[in-house]
Amino acid sequence: MSEPRSSRIVRAVHGLRQTRPDPPFEIGLSESLKSSYDVAGLVELYGRFAMGEGPVDLLMRRCIWRAAARRCGHGLQVASGVGFKHLETFELGDGVFVGAQAYIQGRFDGTTVIGSHVWIGPQAYFDARDLVIEDYVGWGPGAKVLGSAHTGLPADVPIVQTDLEVKPVRIGAWADIGTNATVLPGVTIGRGAIVGAGAVVSRDVDPFAIVAGVPARFMRWREGTPDVTSALPQNMKTGQG
């Protein structure tokens, strides 16, 4: 009879990794690419290396992102099959990881900010027209941000022909977004909050709160965290704010 299985604790990998400065030749290559190609040319060039798994593919994806983005820190890792739109509006911190087949859809007049040491899981999707993700955020596989929606007005035309309303989405530092969760337009996730797997977040989440469900509801405060509730109004101390 086999022994019953039990959980085990292992050290974190991405969140504890020290970011080393990218070597000068990479910086130089990015600068050369930036001076030789316009944004459209860089996107076309990216396509040649988008699907590969080899070290050259990884290197070229990092260099092309640095050449095209508004700002790009050191240690960027872009896995295979990652797609994007309007990379020229991106600002990236140090040690960012973007998992395989993720897609980040910026907008020509938008802003996409991804802080340092952010980990983005495979197949994540970002409607990133006005998005800020602060430092040390974990983004689960398949989790999504919706940053805009059609107004649906007037009602006598197809909804897809009505105007888009863009609302900012803010993800506070240290937050953790569960697998396949969805954050709706205009929502702010507080610092250190946890969003459960599959949740649909339609309203703001307080710092260090745990929410889950569809729509997401307050479950409890994280155990052992700072007394963040002392400064909140009484109705918010129960998660009803």
Side-chain angles (χ1 to χ4, degrees):
M1 186 174 181
S2 61
E3 293 290 331
R5 295 183 176 180
S6 60
S7 63
R8 60 194 179 107
I9 303 295
V10 298
R11 284 177 62 81
V13 177
H14 178 81
L16 295 175
R17 179 178 294 151
Q18 297 295 314
T19 301
R20 298 178 179 176
D22 293 333
F25 84 87
E26 280 195 32
I27 307 297
L29 176 56
S30 293
E31 292 175 349
S32 177
L33 292 172
K34 189 171 185 177
S35 64
S36 302
Y37 295 88
D38 58 13
V39 173
L42 289 170
V43 172
E44 181 180 359
L45 183 64
Y46 177 84
R48 303 181 194 178
F49 302 96
M51 301 306 295
E53 298 284 358
V56 174
D57 301 295
L58 296 173
L59 167 67
M60 289 304 297
R61 288 197 288 266
R62 179 162 57 245
C63 290
I64 292 169
W65 276 51
R66 174 180 281 116
R70 187 179 295 162
R71 178 173 62 84
C72 183
H74 296 276
L76 172 67
Q77 299 179 70
V78 181
S80 62
V82 172
F84 56 80
K85 194 169 185 180
H86 293 294
L87 185 56
E88 72 276 12
T89 67
F90 289 20
E91 300 178 18
L92 305 159
D94 293 326
V96 172
F97 173 84
V98 185
Q101 301 177 38
Y103 191 82
I104 307 174
Q105 180 173 326
R107 181 182 157 87
F108 71 94
D109 60 350
T111 297
T112 303
V113 177
I114 300 176
S116 294
H117 308 289
V118 170
W119 186 92
I120 296 172
Q123 300 183 329
Y125 172 76
F126 299 84
D127 177 10
R129 300 154 200 261
D130 188 351
L131 173 67
V132 175
I133 300 176
E134 296 181 353
D135 297 345
Y136 287 101
V137 167
W139 196 269
K144 303 171 181 64
V145 161
L146 302 182
S148 62
H150 289 279
T151 63
L153 299 172
D156 59 349
V157 300
I159 292 174
V160 294
Q161 291 183 346
T162 63
D163 294 339
L164 276 173
E165 183 178 15
V166 177
K167 293 184 178 180
V169 174
R170 301 290 182 261
I171 312 297
W174 306 3
D176 188 74
I177 312 300
T179 299
N180 285 327
T182 300
V183 180
L184 297 183
V187 166
T188 293
I189 305 293
R191 178 185 181 91
I194 295 176
V195 174
V200 175
V201 187
S202 59
R203 62 180 183 176
D204 293 350
V205 176
D206 292 321
F208 296 99
I210 299 175
V211 301
V214 181
R217 297 185 181 279
F218 175 82
M219 306 299 290
R220 63 184 184 275
W221 300 109
R222 286 179 57 190
E223 185 177 352
T225 58
D227 185 12
V228 296
T229 65
S230 60
L232 297 176
Q234 185 62 37
N235 66 327
M236 295 183 67
K237 293 180 180 180
T238 58
Q240 301 303 310

